[in-house]
Amino acid sequence: MADQKKMVEAITSMDEDFAKWYTDIVKKADLADYSSVRGCMVIRPYGYAIWENIQHIMDGMFKDTGHENVYMPMFIPESLLQKEKDHVEGFAPEVAWVTHGGEEKLTERMCVRPTSETLFCEHYAHVINSYRDLPKLYNQWCSVVRWEKTTRPFLRTCEFLWQEGHTMHETAQEAIDETERMLNVYAQFCEQTLAIPVVKGQKTKKEQFAGAQATYTIEAMMHDGKALQSGTSHYFGDGFSKAFDITFQGRDNKPQYPHQTSWGTSTRLIGAIIMTHGDDNGLVLPPAIAPIQVIVVPIAQHKEGVLEKAGEITKQLKTFCRAKMDDSDNSAGWKFAEYEMKGVPLRLEIGPRDMEAGQCVLVRRDNREKIVVKLDELETKVPELLKAVHDGLYEKALKNRENRTWTAKNMEEAKKIAENNNGFIKSMWCGDLECELRMKEELGLSSRCMPMEQEHLGDTCVCCGKPASKSIIWGKAY
Amino acid sequence: MADQKKMVEAITSMDEDFAKWYTDIVKKADLADYSSVRGCMVIRPYGYAIWENIQHIMDGMFKDTGHENVYMPMFIPESLLQKEKDHVEGFAPEVAWVTHGGEEKLTERMCVRPTSETLFCEHYAHVINSYRDLPKLYNQWCSVVRWEKTTRPFLRTCEFLWQEGHTMHETAQEAIDETERMLNVYAQFCEQTLAIPVVKGQKTKKEQFAGAQATYTIEAMMHDGKALQSGTSHYFGDGFSKAFDITFQGRDNKPQYPHQTSWGTSTRLIGAIIMTHGDDNGLVLPPAIAPIQVIVVPIAQHKEGVLEKAGEITKQLKTFCRAKMDDSDNSAGWKFAEYEMKGVPLRLEIGPRDMEAGQCVLVRRDNREKIVVKLDELETKVPELLKAVHDGLYEKALKNRENRTWTAKNMEEAKKIAENNNGFIKSMWCGDLECELRMKEELGLSSRCMPMEQEHLGDTCVCCGKPASKSIIWGKAY
């Protein structure tokens, strides 16, 4: 009964308070819990099951593109972190420092990895000798720590789970190709698995990863119009190779420096799912990563044969999708609300009258459409409907993005849009840092990316009015 | 050619120097690399692929027994670690302390988790309210840190990968049942997946986990006769529940303390595989966790049709096992040595004469037996042979243990055995700590466990000669 009472309380509506709506879902869909560890969260079973599904599918995509998993130490000695100048400048202010081991003070302090370029480079120096040892295509699933001031579950936490790919190549071109390949893998994953449309593009120099020569990003738009950077892919050139003295014997028998990339996505993707697809009834999960794809709810389950039939159907469903039956003695209404909160893509209702007619009712989470389905057609209809939910989610998210994307020719236009809306503002940009800073200062907008698919939106910079040939997207970001 | 040269160097023989033989295999089978991070290792792709296979199978066993995965923070604030008195005493001397976040000194230092009972308890206090919330059956895959003085790859490192199960139950009996259930899962995993026979038993009070009321263990015997503790399962009673004020409303409507367990295994299992099955030619992998189960080596591969046929066979093999073809231009002899070093359970050789006869040669890694197999029988013969390799490894390990297990009635007998051999010494024990300490001091033996299958080996303690009713196993341990 305590549980039932909990569920009857509605969550904050997203229009009323989007931030509160977000944390309500995190809590009431049992995704995460707070802990007494500053800025760190507990990922609960339902939230972790989503992450496991993300990992499983993404890991398969990495392996299909020739990558291997490894595990590096979680600590970085200070001297190792300092080897690449730009890198240490970017990360040193936000790392956690270990100074003591047991009772003894360390002769050199170590940080908990905020990212592992330095560790991979140290290892690469050991194992790369010849061009025949290249490419090295490594990935690591682990947790990293960045000492953030303000935190929010999944979106920004001091510790988070992620994967970090680190690769080494014989030529600059091969490394650049890899950087783009993995950006495409991320985009494909977001769109085809998470039903989240993304814009692929390059970050400005200001927003580049510390130590990178170029950073690429996928930018998603959340329901409230704010942007979420959802994955990044970096090209390093041979900067780290030189700093770490990694050389290989080239085809010409001369020593050469290999060219490097890294790329990462994190549990932040769960935040993206919540804010892209969720609604006032709770979470809405894309079918591909939903821990439960179909929840079976028996109707009038005390009536003869209902539970047996529901159990039979569940067993059948389990042969081709992730299904669960809720035969608890909570009311059907309670169950409807509970699994809507948890974002289960399809609900299957089966009661005495359905049984007589040899059918059941399927209800889509995304639009609440009810579909009567013959029991002997479940094996074709359920996958079709799961696909339909995915497509519905994607279309809705794309439409939201389209509705919230504007073009601005000059500051006046940009200001007018930014004052009244959250969303993407497309414009031309001259490339000057000064203009980028002014957009932030005057309009509160940060550069999201210079899209791979460049558009000709005019000939002058939105900010300074000077000639400009690059199109760029601005927005407010998480 | 550099690679070829590397392989021609034989590894140290195990009889000559077992410790050196071990580290040679770790290095030459590409399992792990050293790093500049004190006591931490880099797990290389081949070593990590073994760990992924272990994880995959074990995780399935956890889920089949109703467990769910979660993720807790990697830090433990000092005050949280201190809540359970015995626990903090056991772990405080060997933790790594984080004292600074970015530029600022923390008001309270935090350790990197050496184990996560305290974090799980804090969370359980939030989510357990009623007997209906029980049991909680959680598991976590993560890395932990213990500040060890001397380290060795996989066997003892400052950071290691592991899983830690943490469960809460309504009654003491249910928790005790869970402790035993998970010990059995571990034993089954070691025997059926890793082909490592183990002795299940209870640890003495001296060897108990810090804060536990009872610790159960599986003890494996390595090739050199030394023992390796390969997994432990702990029963805590309600000690932590009281320290963390975790209560639930019982069926009688009164507040009660839940009863707790935890259980863990780690990358140490890879050390167990090396030292149980390895030989002077390198690693020998149990088929269930081998990243490559069958290596296909084309013979006279420049001859017409050989590579095509080998490729065809590999493709067929991949439909039912993990197979790989090596079509590099290294010599067949080099390839034989390379994949023996890597412990691949079966080698498939196919050359022009085999092709004519519609057959191939399969060679078992464990005993080098050669079996001629008709190509159209591969789908039945390969799984049979993989099973035979598993059984062969298990039998050999069991025989080694039997050959190195002795019974001692008194100190004189025990001393004579211990002086001349490494192995298990079975005896009766009165239960006194003093006798346990004397065995260590005088004979260099630690108590491994009091086996679940108790034996009546006499009526008096091996050490003090007083009446004794418990049988116990002594040994030297890693």
Side-chain angles (χ1 to χ4, degrees):
Chain A
M1 293 307 277
D3 282 348
Q4 199 156 347
K5 201 173 143 218
K6 185 183 88 184
M7 291 305 304
V8 174
E9 294 169 33
I11 55 173
T12 309
S13 114
M14 54 203 299
D15 289 337
E16 194 187 317
D17 184 342
F18 195 75
K20 178 99 178 21
W21 166 85
Y22 177 83
T23 47
D24 277 2
I25 289 192
V26 167
K27 213 176 154 187
K28 298 209 173 165
D30 295 339
L31 298 177
D33 185 26
Y34 292 94
S35 76
S36 67
V37 189
R38 182 186 170 287
C40 296
M41 62 175 167
V42 171
I43 307 182
R44 301 188 64 188
Y46 195 66
Y48 198 80
I50 295 173
W51 181 238
E52 284 183 307
N53 289 336
I54 289 174
Q55 282 189 303
H56 180 71
I57 295 171
M58 204 185 267
D59 196 66
M61 293 173 83
F62 295 161
K63 284 177 177 155
D64 286 346
T65 44
H67 299 84
E68 302 178 292
N69 287 331
V70 297
Y71 189 79
M72 296 284 153
M74 72 148 81
F75 298 124
I76 307 175
E78 189 163 20
S79 56
L80 197 65
L81 187 68
Q82 285 172 338
K83 277 203 171 182
E84 211 286 337
K85 194 182 58 65
D86 293 336
H87 189 68
V88 65
E89 270 179 26
F91 282 105
E94 57 177 51
V95 296
W97 290 105
V98 174
T99 57
H100 289 74
E103 314 288 324
E104 108 207 41
K105 186 162 192 259
L106 305 186
T107 52
E108 180 186 10
R109 63 178 185 166
M110 310 180 303
C111 71
V112 180
R113 64 183 159 217
T115 178
S116 304
E117 277 75 9
T118 51
L119 294 160
F120 276 83
C121 281
E122 186 188 51
H123 178 61
Y124 282 139
H126 296 175
V127 296
I128 294 174
N129 298 300
S130 150
Y131 69 90
R132 281 168 302 203
D133 298 326
L134 296 172
K136 287 280 184 227
L137 306 174
Y138 288 175
N139 176 64
Q140 164 169 283
W141 292 95
C142 66
S143 80
V144 289
V145 170
R146 297 177 187 176
W147 212 251
E148 303 284 356
K149 291 215 167 57
T150 53
T151 60
R152 208 187 293 186
F154 296 112
L155 291 179
R156 194 173 295 276
T157 45
C158 286
E159 181 191 9
F160 55 92
L161 302 182
W162 82 342
Q163 61 67 219
E164 46 180 327
H166 295 269
T167 70
M168 280 291 191
H169 305 265
E170 194 179 343
T171 67
Q173 190 55 52
E174 282 177 36
I176 290 166
D177 290 348
E178 167 81 1
T179 313
E180 289 177 10
R181 180 181 309 119
M182 299 322 288
L183 190 77
N184 287 330
V185 163
Y186 286 161
Q188 192 188 330
F189 178 81
C190 281
E191 304 198 337
Q192 295 176 13
T193 301
L194 303 185
I196 298 176
V198 294
V199 176
K200 293 185 282 187
Q202 187 175 353
K203 286 281 182 193
T204 62
K205 207 168 157 93
K206 174 179 177 291
E207 301 288 333
Q208 235 164 248
F209 184 83
Q213 283 192 16
T215 287
Y216 298 86
T217 178
I218 48 170
E219 297 283 324
M221 185 190 284
M222 303 297 98
H223 187 84
D224 64 348
K226 283 200 198 166
L228 189 77
Q229 177 182 306
S230 305
T232 49
S233 183
H234 317 290
Y235 169 63
F236 289 101
D238 57 9
F240 276 82
S241 291
K242 284 176 175 161
F244 283 79
D245 200 21
I246 309 169
T247 58
F248 67 93
Q249 195 182 33
R251 289 171 202 270
D252 58 1
N253 276 327
K254 287 183 189 149
Q256 298 182 17
Y257 292 108
H259 298 261
Q260 185 181 3
T261 84
S262 81
W263 26 276
T265 55
S266 73
T267 34
R268 188 165 230 225
L269 289 172
I270 297 176
I273 293 168
I274 299 171
M275 292 197 295
T276 303
H277 303 309
D279 63 23
D280 283 348
N281 295 313
L283 192 62
V284 182
L285 290 176
I289 54 83
I292 307 165
Q293 293 174 315
V294 185
I295 181 73
V296 176
V297 179
I299 306 295
Q301 66 185 42
H302 57 283
K303 293 261 174 80
E304 204 191 320
V306 172
L307 273 182
E308 288 76 0
K309 191 70 193 171
E312 215 176 85
I313 290 171
T314 309
K315 203 176 152 192
Q316 190 205 343
L317 288 172
K318 280 183 175 174
T319 62
F320 58 87
C321 69
R322 295 187 288 272
K324 186 187 154 173
M325 168 167 72
D326 184 347
D327 59 359
S328 68
D329 49 18
N330 290 306
S331 70
W334 183 91
K335 292 175 191 174
F336 292 179
E338 167 74 3
Y339 296 100
E340 288 199 347
M341 179 62 70
K342 290 203 156 168
V344 176
L346 286 180
R347 177 172 78 232
L348 188 154
E349 304 171 8
I350 175 95
R353 265 188 291 179
D354 300 311
M355 282 167 62
E356 264 176 50
Q359 65 188 34
C360 64
V361 179
L362 283 162
V363 186
R364 284 172 60 165
R365 173 64 182 89
D366 60 325
N367 60 9
R368 289 193 159 174
E369 192 191 342
K370 291 189 177 204
I371 306 102
V372 174
V373 171
K374 292 278 168 207
L375 290 178
D376 56 13
E377 289 180 354
L378 280 175
E379 201 161 338
T380 52
K381 286 292 177 189
V382 165
E384 268 174 40
L385 284 168
L386 289 172
K387 170 90 168 55
V389 171
H390 173 94
D391 293 344
L393 291 177
Y394 184 83
E395 288 309 321
K396 202 166 138 195
L398 189 62
K399 202 161 187 184
N400 182 52
R401 190 179 83 187
E402 281 165 357
N403 289 341
R404 288 172 174 276
T405 301
W406 297 271
T407 301
K409 303 264 186 214
N410 51 49
M411 280 303 261
E412 206 177 335
E413 283 182 22
K415 195 175 173 180
K416 213 163 143 188
I417 300 162
E419 274 174 1
N420 297 300
N421 310 280
N422 278 338
F424 286 168
I425 301 180
K426 301 193 291 189
S427 83
M428 299 306 284
W429 176 50
C430 65
D432 277 0
L433 174 62
E434 212 176 304
C435 291
E436 194 178 355
L437 293 172
R438 223 183 113 199
M439 291 296 282
K440 182 76 193 173
E441 215 177 278
E442 294 183 17
L443 308 185
L445 299 174
S446 59
S447 70
R448 304 317 313 150
C449 68
M450 299 171 282
M452 301 304 233
E453 289 186 20
Q454 282 284 303
E455 288 181 275
H456 181 254
L457 307 164
D459 299 301
T460 56
C461 175
V462 65
C463 191
C464 64
K466 286 181 193 159
S469 58
K470 271 267 168 204
S471 78
I472 190 167
I473 293 175
W474 311 92
K476 289 168 194 157
Y478 279 98
Chain B
M1 294 307 279
D3 281 350
Q4 199 156 347
K5 200 173 144 221
K6 184 182 89 184
M7 290 305 303
V8 174
E9 293 169 34
I11 54 173
T12 309
S13 113
M14 53 203 299
D15 289 338
E16 193 186 320
D17 184 341
F18 196 75
K20 178 96 178 19
W21 166 84
Y22 177 83
T23 48
D24 277 1
I25 288 192
V26 167
K27 213 177 155 189
K28 299 209 173 164
D30 295 338
L31 298 177
D33 185 27
Y34 292 94
S35 77
S36 67
V37 189
R38 182 188 170 288
C40 296
M41 61 176 168
V42 170
I43 307 182
R44 301 188 63 187
Y46 196 66
Y48 199 80
I50 295 172
W51 181 238
E52 285 183 307
N53 290 336
I54 289 174
Q55 282 190 301
H56 179 72
I57 296 171
M58 205 185 267
D59 196 66
M61 294 173 84
F62 294 161
K63 283 176 176 153
D64 287 346
T65 43
H67 300 85
E68 301 178 292
N69 286 331
V70 297
Y71 189 78
M72 297 284 153
M74 72 148 80
F75 299 124
I76 307 174
E78 189 163 18
S79 57
L80 198 64
L81 187 68
Q82 286 172 338
K83 277 203 172 182
E84 211 287 337
K85 195 181 58 65
D86 293 335
H87 189 69
V88 66
E89 271 179 24
F91 282 105
E94 57 176 52
V95 296
W97 289 106
V98 174
T99 56
H100 290 74
E103 314 288 323
E104 109 208 39
K105 186 163 193 256
L106 305 186
T107 52
E108 180 186 10
R109 64 178 184 166
M110 309 181 303
C111 70
V112 180
R113 63 183 160 216
T115 180
S116 304
E117 278 74 10
T118 51
L119 295 159
F120 275 83
C121 281
E122 187 189 52
H123 178 63
Y124 281 139
H126 295 175
V127 296
I128 294 174
N129 298 299
S130 149
Y131 69 89
R132 282 168 301 203
D133 298 326
L134 295 171
K136 287 281 184 229
L137 305 174
Y138 289 175
N139 176 63
Q140 164 168 283
W141 293 94
C142 65
S143 80
V144 289
V145 170
R146 297 178 188 174
W147 211 252
E148 304 283 357
K149 290 211 169 59
T150 52
T151 60
R152 207 186 297 184
F154 295 113
L155 290 180
R156 193 174 297 276
T157 45
C158 286
E159 180 191 8
F160 55 92
L161 302 181
W162 81 342
Q163 61 67 219
E164 46 179 328
H166 295 269
T167 69
M168 280 290 191
H169 305 265
E170 195 179 342
T171 65
Q173 189 55 51
E174 282 178 36
I176 290 166
D177 291 347
E178 167 81 2
T179 313
E180 290 178 9
R181 180 181 308 119
M182 299 322 288
L183 189 77
N184 287 331
V185 163
Y186 286 160
Q188 193 188 330
F189 178 81
C190 281
E191 303 198 337
Q192 295 176 12
T193 301
L194 304 185
I196 299 177
V198 294
V199 176
K200 294 185 281 185
Q202 186 174 354
K203 286 282 182 190
T204 62
K205 208 169 156 95
K206 173 178 177 291
E207 300 289 333
Q208 234 163 247
F209 184 83
Q213 283 193 15
T215 286
Y216 298 86
T217 179
I218 48 170
E219 298 283 324
M221 185 192 284
M222 303 297 97
H223 186 84
D224 65 347
K226 284 201 200 166
L228 189 77
Q229 176 182 305
S230 305
T232 48
S233 183
H234 317 289
Y235 168 64
F236 289 100
D238 56 10
F240 277 82
S241 292
K242 284 175 177 162
F244 283 79
D245 199 22
I246 308 168
T247 58
F248 67 93
Q249 195 181 34
R251 288 171 203 270
D252 58 1
N253 276 327
K254 287 183 190 148
Q256 298 182 15
Y257 292 109
H259 298 261
Q260 185 180 3
T261 85
S262 81
W263 26 276
T265 56
S266 73
T267 34
R268 188 165 230 227
L269 289 173
I270 296 176
I273 293 169
I274 300 171
M275 292 197 295
T276 303
H277 302 309
D279 62 24
D280 282 348
N281 295 313
L283 192 62
V284 181
L285 289 176
I289 55 82
I292 307 165
Q293 293 174 315
V294 185
I295 182 72
V296 176
V297 179
I299 307 295
Q301 65 183 42
H302 57 282
K303 293 263 174 79
E304 202 191 322
V306 172
L307 273 182
E308 289 75 3
K309 191 69 194 172
E312 213 176 87
I313 290 171
T314 309
K315 202 174 153 193
Q316 190 205 345
L317 288 172
K318 279 183 175 174
T319 62
F320 58 87
C321 69
R322 294 187 288 272
K324 187 185 153 175
M325 168 167 73
D326 185 345
D327 58 0
S328 68
D329 49 18
N330 290 305
S331 69
W334 183 91
K335 292 176 191 174
F336 292 178
E338 167 74 2
Y339 296 100
E340 287 199 346
M341 179 62 68
K342 290 203 156 169
V344 176
L346 286 180
R347 178 173 78 231
L348 187 154
E349 305 171 8
I350 174 96
R353 264 188 292 178
D354 300 310
M355 282 166 63
E356 262 175 54
Q359 64 187 36
C360 64
V361 178
L362 283 162
V363 186
R364 283 172 61 166
R365 173 66 182 89
D366 60 326
N367 61 9
R368 290 191 159 174
E369 190 191 342
K370 292 190 175 202
I371 305 102
V372 174
V373 171
K374 291 279 167 205
L375 291 179
D376 56 13
E377 290 179 354
L378 280 175
E379 202 162 337
T380 52
K381 286 291 177 190
V382 166
E384 269 173 39
L385 283 169
L386 289 173
K387 170 91 169 52
V389 171
H390 173 94
D391 292 345
L393 291 176
Y394 184 84
E395 288 309 320
K396 200 166 138 195
L398 188 62
K399 202 160 187 188
N400 182 51
R401 189 179 83 188
E402 282 166 356
N403 288 341
R404 289 173 174 274
T405 300
W406 296 271
T407 301
K409 303 264 188 213
N410 50 49
M411 280 303 261
E412 206 178 334
E413 283 183 22
K415 195 174 172 183
K416 212 163 143 189
I417 299 163
E419 274 174 0
N420 296 302
N421 309 281
N422 278 337
F424 286 168
I425 301 181
K426 301 193 289 187
S427 83
M428 299 307 283
W429 175 51
C430 64
D432 277 0
L433 174 62
E434 212 177 304
C435 290
E436 194 178 355
L437 292 172
R438 224 184 112 197
M439 292 296 281
K440 182 77 193 173
E441 216 177 278
E442 295 185 15
L443 308 185
L445 300 173
S446 59
S447 70
R448 304 317 312 152
C449 69
M450 298 171 283
M452 300 305 233
E453 289 187 19
Q454 283 283 302
E455 288 180 273
H456 181 255
L457 307 164
D459 299 301
T460 55
C461 175
V462 65
C463 191
C464 64
K466 285 182 191 157
S469 58
K470 271 268 168 203
S471 78
I472 190 166
I473 292 175
W474 310 92
K476 289 167 194 157
Y478 280 97

